Amino acid sequence: MGVLGDRWTLLILRDAFLRCTRRFTGWRDSLRISDPVLARRLRDLVGAGILRRVPYSTAPERYEYLLTEAGLELWSLLVAIWGWERSWVDGRAATPPDLVHDRCGKPVRPQLACADCGAVVGARDTAAERAPGFGAERNAPPRPRRRSHRAGEPSGPAPPFSETMALLGDRWTTVMLAAAFLRTRRFGEFERALGVPPTLLTQRLRTLVQLGVLRRVPSGGRAGIHEYRLTEKGLAFFPVMVLVARWANRWMPTPAGPPVRISHPACGAALEPVLHCDACGEALQRLDLRVAAAGRVPRLERPDGVSSA
């Protein structure tokens, strides 16, 4: 999350896939982002191995940024975010366009499935446990840049990925959401598991409740004791969290192995997540998806960085 947990970073990656943006001016003009902020985010993405910087002009010297293999693998995460926002985020100025699955020709709402048995799975169909010696706080990296205010962050009415940016764009909010999926429920449990200051914990729990991801309910009939449980909207964010974890385990592994182990009890296998088309049931592939938009239907970025529009 030190790499992906940033509002601008999500938008830069979105444009890299869907608009085939590769050059500094393309992102600057599309996102209306300041030059210093964009330069820092691109430098971070190159340093993380998600983008690579290659020259396209020598006189004057100019560079463009292409997705690496690690960057290309983030397509499934962005598709999961796309599906969740279309299904659960209200009050947009404009509804995001459909993704079309070329294999069946129909608009798709991605479904998370188990690669081992092919069954569609949700949070309730899986079992998760922390690896020995790992606490959730191990997934809360030091903040890579100051975010003491939101100046210079995406603004305006209902920016793209608006609620996802609220959930993934703040390290503590993300870690608290992960803890909720690991059945952490009470204020004191969050405090002990994460080592988060009480004031900050109160603020982030309030945000998660306001977003409709958690709900505050009485705990076991005990007066004055409450707990925080995932709503249906929160449970539906499970594919995003699983795909973040899968990507991190592959490209930024910890020496001791995955900090959280997720299994699919119905087939007895460790969960290897894959996205399926809800219309035809086939596993989705990056190059089989395109955006349904008037006059132009670009597919997701090709490995060589060339648009297949």
Side-chain angles (χ1 to χ4, degrees), residues 128-140 182 244-246 248-250 252-262:
E129 61 179 2
R130 294 185 180 95
F134 276 97
E137 73 280 354
R138 295 284 294 274
N139 280 340
L182 289 166
V244 167
R246 193 270 302 273
N249 289 336
R250 177 173 181 185
M252 296 183 175
T254 58
V260 176
R261 296 167 182 168
I262 306 173

Side-chain angles (χ1 to χ4, degrees), residues 112-115 242-243 246 271-275:
L112 186 73
C114 171
V242 168
L243 290 168
R246 193 270 302 273
L271 179 65
E272 175 61 27
V274 62
L275 294 181

Side-chain angles (χ1 to χ4, degrees), residues 110 174 186 267 279:
T174 308
R186 295 182 182 176
C267 70

